[in-house]
Each structure stands twice: as C-alpha cells, then as structure tokens.
C-alpha cells in the first residue's frame, strides 16, 4: 500500500474521505450548507485561538496569499516582505502584480530573519515620509522545513502601526500560531488539517477589514471583503464537499485536543530527526528553527534520486526541495494525520534502506 509523506497535500483520514463522499446540500440555496459553513468557521476560530473573524473561501491555499495582497494593497502602497525562503520571496511578486512597492528584506534560506534590516527598512521608510503600510512574512517555510520566530518581527510591525499578513499554511493546526497579533493569518485545508486541497482559511482583524474597505478591491475571486458577511449568500458557488471534509477534519483535531495535537507533531518531528542522525543525514535548517510539521534533510545532489528510489522500491512518496534546492533537500511531511511516530519509523526505514 502506498504511503504518502509529503508536506502537503497530506494523507486524508477515512472519516474525512467519507464526509466528502456523502451527499451534499446545495451551497447556493439550502440552509444546511450555510449552517455547516458557520460551524466550520467557529471550529477554525478555536484552532486559530482568536476572536478575529474567520473566513473560508473556495480555492487552494495560494489563493489566500494573493487575496491578502489584492485586498490590502493599492497601487503605490509600500509593503515590507520579510523573507528567508521561497514563499517569503513570492509575496513580493504578488505585491508588484497589484501595483504595490515591495521592499524585500531577505536572509539566507538557512538563517533566521534579519531583524536589523527589518528595523532599517521600517525606519528609513518612515523618515522618507512614505511609511510601510503592510508587511508579509511566513511562519513555516515549507520548502526548507524552517519554523520562523515571527514574534520579534510582529513587535516591530506593531511599533510602526503596520498591517501584518502571515502565511501560516504549514503551521496552523500543527504548532501554536500567535494569531491575535496578526492582522491576516492564512491557512489551508490540505496541510495539518489533513483535508483535501481546495480551501483557504483566514483569520482577519478589524484593522485589516477597515483597510480593505477603504481600498475597495476590484477583484471578486482574490478579495476577502465579500466573505465578511455571507448571511445573504456566498460570493460564488462554494465547494460543498470540501467544506464537509474540512468540517470532519476539524472534528478529529478538536476531539483530540490542540495541546495533544501539538505534542504529537513534536514527537513525530523529533523521531524523524533522530532516525536521520542514526542514518547519517543532517537537516537543512538550524535545529532550533526546524519545524515540527516538516523535516528537510540536506542531501546535496542526491535528494531527487533518493526520493525516486524510495518511491520505486518502497512505495513511499516523499518530496524534494523547490527551485534551486530541488536536488539538495529531501522533505518528509510529518503533519496532520501523518504526525505519528510509528508512521515516521516506517518511512525512515525506507529512507535508510535507500541511503545505505
């Protein structure tokens, strides 16, 4: 039987598959769907740990990243993109595509955020009379298995009254996220929730809603505003089966309890890295910044061949890095349903057989 241990989309539990396969209410006309949607938003608020509004548009997680920029950024707005990875860099592309002026503060992919450079960018913009208005950052850089310490950056953004956008797609539901300090906190169904891909989640502060209202985005699909109040109907036909699946996935997570879920992720990550050390392979990021949801092993020039052999010989599906790191990094996604020590051991047995 094939084992998929990629860092999203993740394996989907049977109860979630059954919920998705069940007969669904018509999302445009039946009250039962609206009731389910509201219930899902309430459960997500518990996972987020926030009183902010939670919305769930139909669209894979990348929709949330683009919609946040489309909703908050008008032409000429200055946006700080704090980055030490591929997704952090990608926010700048969205900013520029919507006419914003992106200031990218970059750090090497295997290092933490450059706080001195963040300070300099914020202070320089303020001194020039054109202050930074929005900032983006990534909690878990999935391509490198890095969990960023976003607290110090959020401190600085608060000091400068900057609206914050955080990609927490690969962290939410697997490790604590400081949502109440974030204006737009983005998640997705296919990572730690272990539901199928197809839904974006977002917790949005009143300050962010006010800014969106002031800008009045022209887009429908890449726009959070139409989701603020769905009492009169949804902006477009919603993905009823995906919402049912996410509902079931959230029930599993909440029944287990968030602290137990977080502990399970930590134990799975710890075991994965212990096995790696036994085999003789090291992780890519500093261990202090390694994510509890995904491990990135550094295997220069070998990652792709090892991935292919693990799949061919052991029917285990893993992922490599992205972009320039595709042949450098082998990624193991112990997140959601796969955050399980016994499953990790089976996967690492396969890796060990190939590496040796």
């Amino acid at each position: 039987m094939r084992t998929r241990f990629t860092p999203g989309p993740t394996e989907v539990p049977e109860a979630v598959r059954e919920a998705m396969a069940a007969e669904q209410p018509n999302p445009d006309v039946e009250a039962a769907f609206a009731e389910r949607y509201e219930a899902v938003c309430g459960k997500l608020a518990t996972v987020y740990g926030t009183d902010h509004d939670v919305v769930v548009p139909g669209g894979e997680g990348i929709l949330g990243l683009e919609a946040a920029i489309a909703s908050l950024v008008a032409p000429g707005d200055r946006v700080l993109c704090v980055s030490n990875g591929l997704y952090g860099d990608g926010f700048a592309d969205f900013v520029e595509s919507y006419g914003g002026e992106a200031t990218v503060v970059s750090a090497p992919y295997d290092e933490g955020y450059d706080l001195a450079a963040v300070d300099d960018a914020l202070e320089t913009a303020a001194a020039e009379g054109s202050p930074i208005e929005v900032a983006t950052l990534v909690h878990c850089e999935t391509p490198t298995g890095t969990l960023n310490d976003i607290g110090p950056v959020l401190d600085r953004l608060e000091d400068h009254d900057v609206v914050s956008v955080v990609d927490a797609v690969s962290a939410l539901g697997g490790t604590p996220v400081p949502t109440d300090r974030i204006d737009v906190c983005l998640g997705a169904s296919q990572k730690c929730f272990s539901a199928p891909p197809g839904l974006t989640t977002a917790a949005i502060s009143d300050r962010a809603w006010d800014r969106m209202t002031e800008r009045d985005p022209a887009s429908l699909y890449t726009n959070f505003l139409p989701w603020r109040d769905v009492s009169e109907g949804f902006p477009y036909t919603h993905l009823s089966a995906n919402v049912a699946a996410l509902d079931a996935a959230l029930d599993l997570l909440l029944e287990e309890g968030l602290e137990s879920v977080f502990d399970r992720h930590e134990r799975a990550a710890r075991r994965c890295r212990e096995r790696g050390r036994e085999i003789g392979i090291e992780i890519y990021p500093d261990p202090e910044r390694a994510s509890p949801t995904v491990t990135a092993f550094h295997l220069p020039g070998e990652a792709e061949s090892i991935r292919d052999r693990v799949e061919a010989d052991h029917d285990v599906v893993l992922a490599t890095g992205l972009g320039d790191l595709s042949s450098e990094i082998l990624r193991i996604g112990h997140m959601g349903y796969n955050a399980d020590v016994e499953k990790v051991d089976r996967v690492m047995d396969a890796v060990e057989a190939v590496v040796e």
Side-chain angles (χ1 to χ4, degrees), residues 260-336:
S260 176
V261 170
F262 296 157
D263 180 66
R264 178 163 54 81
H265 280 79
E266 291 285 356
R267 286 185 282 111
R270 190 161 53 246
R271 182 57 178 159
C272 186
R273 289 153 201 169
E274 287 172 355
R275 290 294 306 274
R277 286 192 296 272
E278 292 169 2
I279 297 169
I281 55 178
E282 299 296 329
I283 61 174
Y284 180 81
D286 183 320
E288 294 299 316
R289 291 193 298 273
S291 172
T293 62
V294 53
T295 292
F297 286 114
H298 194 204
L299 294 158
E302 299 181 88
E304 291 172 318
S305 63
I306 291 173
R307 175 205 58 194
D308 293 345
R309 288 179 58 198
V310 166
E311 181 176 351
D313 298 347
H314 300 275
D315 218 12
V316 173
V317 180
L318 304 177
T320 57
L322 301 177
D324 293 341
L325 295 175
S326 61
S327 64
E328 306 287 310
I329 287 176
L330 181 72
R331 294 186 294 153
I332 297 178
H334 37 71
M335 60 174 63

Side-chain angles (χ1 to χ4, degrees), residues 80 82 91 113 135-139 150 153-154 157 164-167:
L80 177 66
V82 186
F91 264 123
Y113 285 149
T136 66
L137 52 160
V138 178
H139 195 190
I150 61 176
V153 178
L154 294 175
L157 300 182
S164 56
V165 176
V166 174
D167 170 359

Side-chain angles (χ1 to χ4, degrees), residues 60-75:
E60 191 273 334
I62 203 73
L63 168 66
L65 278 64
E66 181 169 357
I69 300 305
S71 301
L72 290 167
V73 177

Side-chain angles (χ1 to χ4, degrees), residues 7-10 60-62 169 188-199 335:
T10 57
E60 191 273 334
I62 203 73
V169 169
S189 56
Q190 79 273 19
K191 299 285 188 175
C192 298
F193 296 139
S194 288
L199 297 176
M335 60 174 63

Side-chain angles (χ1 to χ4, degrees), residues 23-349:
E23 182 179 0
Q24 306 297 333
N26 186 311
D28 293 327
V29 299
E30 292 188 62
F33 177 79
E35 292 168 3
R36 173 178 283 161
Y37 175 84
E38 290 301 324
V40 165
C41 291
K43 294 170 187 177
L44 279 167
T46 300
V47 175
Y48 271 106
T50 187
D51 292 328
H52 292 169
D53 292 336
V54 175
V55 298
V56 186
E60 191 273 334
I62 203 73
L63 168 66
L65 278 64
E66 181 169 357
I69 300 305
S71 301
L72 290 167
V73 177
D77 287 349
R78 298 191 71 172
V79 180
L80 177 66
C81 299
V82 186
S83 177
N84 62 345
L86 190 68
Y87 284 103
D89 293 344
F91 264 123
D93 295 332
F94 286 133
V95 169
E96 291 171 359
S97 70
Y98 285 93
E101 297 180 10
T103 298
V104 182
V105 172
S106 297
Y109 283 12
D110 58 351
E111 295 184 11
Y113 285 149
D114 186 341
L115 297 179
V118 171
D119 286 333
D120 182 64
L122 290 168
E123 291 165 5
T124 298
E128 292 173 348
S130 181
I132 299 291
E133 298 178 70
V134 176
T136 66
L137 52 160
V138 178
H139 195 190
C140 176
E141 270 287 358
T142 326
T144 58
T146 299
L147 188 72
N148 286 310
D149 181 6
I150 61 176
V153 178
L154 294 175
D155 290 340
R156 289 157 168 81
L157 300 182
E158 289 168 5
D159 289 344
H160 288 265
D161 196 29
V162 176
V163 173
S164 56
V165 176
V166 174
D167 170 359
V169 169
S170 295
L172 186 67
T175 193
V177 179
T179 310
D180 274 347
R181 302 188 61 200
I182 299 167
D183 289 296
V184 180
C185 187
L186 302 164
S189 56
Q190 79 273 19
K191 299 285 188 175
C192 298
F193 296 139
S194 288
L199 297 176
T200 283
T201 71
I204 302 176
S205 72
D206 289 342
R207 179 168 70 159
W209 284 127
D210 290 345
R211 183 178 176 87
M212 293 177 196
T213 301
E214 291 170 2
R215 271 139 187 78
D216 190 22
S219 169
L220 171 66
Y221 196 68
T222 55
N223 184 353
F224 280 128
L225 268 179
W227 293 91
R228 188 176 192 181
D229 181 2
V230 294
S231 59
E232 299 301 319
F234 295 91
Y236 46 83
T237 299
H238 216 324
L239 285 68
S240 53
N242 289 75
V243 173
L246 180 57
D247 190 23
L250 289 167
D251 283 342
L252 293 176
L253 189 153
L254 294 173
E255 286 168 10
E256 182 178 351
L258 288 173
E259 291 304 319
S260 176
V261 170
F262 296 157
D263 180 66
R264 178 163 54 81
H265 280 79
E266 291 285 356
R267 286 185 282 111
R270 190 161 53 246
R271 182 57 178 159
C272 186
R273 289 153 201 169
E274 287 172 355
R275 290 294 306 274
R277 286 192 296 272
E278 292 169 2
I279 297 169
I281 55 178
E282 299 296 329
I283 61 174
Y284 180 81
D286 183 320
E288 294 299 316
R289 291 193 298 273
S291 172
T293 62
V294 53
T295 292
F297 286 114
H298 194 204
L299 294 158
E302 299 181 88
E304 291 172 318
S305 63
I306 291 173
R307 175 205 58 194
D308 293 345
R309 288 179 58 198
V310 166
E311 181 176 351
D313 298 347
H314 300 275
D315 218 12
V316 173
V317 180
L318 304 177
T320 57
L322 301 177
D324 293 341
L325 295 175
S326 61
S327 64
E328 306 287 310
I329 287 176
L330 181 72
R331 294 186 294 153
I332 297 178
H334 37 71
M335 60 174 63
Y337 188 51
N338 279 345
D340 178 277
V341 169
E342 291 185 2
K343 292 180 180 179
V344 166
D345 271 329
R346 291 200 298 271
V347 169
M348 293 307 292
D349 285 345

